Structures are given as C-alpha cells and as structure tokens.
Amino acid sequence: MRLPDAAAFVVACIVGFVHAASLDEPTAYASDLASLVNDYRASRHAAALTPDPTLSELAREHSADMVRAKRLSHDDFKTRFRRSGYGMCVENVGWNYPTAAAQLKAWQQSPGHDRNMLDARVAHVGIGVAGDYVTFIACR
C-alpha cells in the first residue's frame, strides 16, 4: 500500500522523534539519516539501501571539504564517483539541519534531492557528517 504524501510525512516526523541524534554526534546522525531514508524509501515501495563503508568515507571526506570551504558544493563529484567503484551514483548535500529528521524533510521538499533518495537504480549508500555539513552518496 502506497502512503499518501501527507501520511509519509507524518511517518517521517514520528520516526524523527525516535531518531534525535544531533550534528554533534556525526556517526549517530549519519546512521539515523540512513535509517530514515530507508524508511522513506520503504513507504514509496523502493528497496532499502545497503550501507557501504567506502561510500561513507567518501561522503565524510566531502563533508569535511565543505567545512573547510565554508560552503555547500558538489565540487569533485566526478572524482568521488570514480573512487566509489560503482557505475552510477547520485549525491545530496546539506548544511545546518540539527537532526537527521530535519535534513530528511528538507531533502523531501526539494524535487531533485527527493528524486535522488528514491532513485530505484541505486542500491548502496554512504552518509558522512562533518561540522554542520552532510553528504549522502548512493550508487549501483
């Protein structure tokens, strides 16, 4: 059964109360965000993404690069894509969302970011957090 958009949003909000890791806890934040993305994908009948340590490290490195540059970017995405070892990847970046649920909600409200999270072609995910910056990389 496909949840209407409003029902999916309510589910994400309820789950957000359970998943409350802050940016001060980068590993927990990344884990919570991965769980929330998979819950969201399940609500849309998309397969769960499998965590990939290589993608997580690439995502963390990119988040750290954004911290140093003090700006959001997709700079060097092609390099991350090549280093991933996969044939296809998508990427979302975020800044200054205090909880994983808040970051998920922001991405859901952006058509391009939402499309990346729900992309049926991807099967593996890495999420990296540094400072206030978050990078999501999903590949196949």
Side-chain angles (χ1 to χ4, degrees):
M1 168 175 112
R2 181 185 156 108
L3 293 173
D5 289 341
F9 175 74
V10 169
V11 168
C13 288
I14 291 169
V15 172
F17 288 118
V18 176
H19 299 278
S22 72
L23 286 166
D24 295 332
E25 308 165 275
T27 302
Y29 187 106
S31 177
D32 285 354
L33 185 54
S35 293
L36 289 171
V37 168
N38 275 336
D39 291 345
Y40 180 50
R41 286 174 63 88
S43 78
R44 303 302 178 127
H45 303 289
L49 300 174
T50 303
D52 180 305
T54 298
L55 294 178
S56 295
E57 181 57 22
L58 291 170
R60 191 203 59 72
E61 288 173 6
H62 183 59
S63 292
D65 288 343
M66 290 190 293
V67 168
R68 283 188 288 282
K70 297 181 181 163
R71 69 179 181 88
L72 278 173
S73 79
H74 291 284
D75 293 354
D76 296 323
F77 173 70
K78 288 182 181 181
T79 300
R80 284 187 295 288
F81 166 60
R82 277 194 302 275
R83 288 178 60 204
S84 76
Y86 289 100
M88 177 269 177
C89 295
V90 297
E91 178 179 82
N92 288 353
V93 295
W95 172 73
N96 207 29
Y97 289 94
T99 65
Q103 180 62 77
L104 175 77
K105 181 179 175 186
W107 285 340
Q108 286 172 318
Q109 294 173 343
S110 164
H113 293 101
D114 192 54
R115 189 172 35 255
N116 284 346
M117 288 190 299
L118 296 174
D119 195 320
R121 298 171 298 168
V122 297
H124 304 276
V125 68
I127 297 175
V129 178
D132 293 346
Y133 293 86
V134 178
T135 303
F136 161 97
I137 302 173
C139 304
R140 72 154 166 86

